[in-house]
Amino acid sequence: MTLSKILVSLSPLAVALVLAGCGDTAQTQSKFSAIEICKASMATALQHDLSTISLVDKNGKLVYVSYTDPANASQNIYRCRLDGDHVLWAPTKGQWQNQTEGKISFVANYNQLTITETAADGKQVTNEYKLSQLKSS
């Protein structure tokens, strides 16, 4: 059965609901940039306050962020990239942590970003960030 025959057999209301749902998802996820998702993910992975994570650079699909330790002002740089709804990260010259440590995923809903890190033993850490928090950081 061709796509046109399938669409004709669906009621106009069903088609409208499907199309409306698709539009909302794309619009919601586009509110959060890769930079904002990476900053929130690193704050969650490192278990530090969002204010200690800063953008260093963005090069194509890679985002470079830094963590500045407030106690001694030392700085560590991390790279990050998005893979669907997963976040891959690594120290600048280290291996990608999602392969050896916890896996990080994100969900963007309206003005809220939820970051979940799932450790190898199944334990989860979840943090939620408002769009306004990420825009101001």
Side-chain angles (χ1 to χ4, degrees):
M1 182 180 269
T2 65
L3 181 59
S4 61
K5 287 182 182 178
I6 293 171
L7 290 176
V8 169
S9 66
L10 292 174
S11 75
L13 179 59
V15 172
L17 289 173
V18 169
L19 293 176
C22 291
D24 289 345
T25 302
Q27 190 176 29
T28 298
Q29 289 184 349
S30 68
K31 285 186 177 184
F32 294 93
S33 69
I35 293 167
E36 293 159 346
I37 293 169
C38 284
K39 286 173 65 176
S41 295
M42 291 311 302
T44 299
L46 299 172
Q47 299 179 12
H48 292 299
D49 188 75
L50 183 63
S51 65
T52 63
I53 309 294
S54 303
L55 173 67
V56 173
D57 191 21
K58 183 170 183 340
N59 185 358
K61 292 185 178 185
L62 283 179
V63 175
Y64 293 87
V65 296
S66 66
Y67 161 70
T68 303
D69 186 343
N72 61 15
S74 66
Q75 187 179 55
N76 296 307
I77 298 176
Y78 301 90
R79 52 196 161 122
C80 168
R81 69 182 167 95
L82 305 183
D83 182 19
D85 63 350
H86 289 88
V87 178
L88 311 174
W89 70 276
T92 345
K93 295 184 180 185
Q95 89 179 69
W96 293 99
Q97 297 299 306
N98 65 303
Q99 296 170 6
T100 58
E101 299 295 326
K103 295 187 183 220
I104 298 177
S105 60
F106 68 92
V107 175
N109 287 319
Y110 302 103
N111 290 325
Q112 183 170 299
L113 178 66
T114 303
I115 305 291
T116 302
E117 180 179 28
T118 305
D121 63 4
K123 292 182 182 174
Q124 290 187 330
V125 173
T126 300
N127 287 331
E128 295 178 345
Y129 300 92
K130 294 195 181 308
L131 183 61
S132 58
Q133 278 180 284
L134 294 165
K135 293 284 185 199
S136 65
S137 66

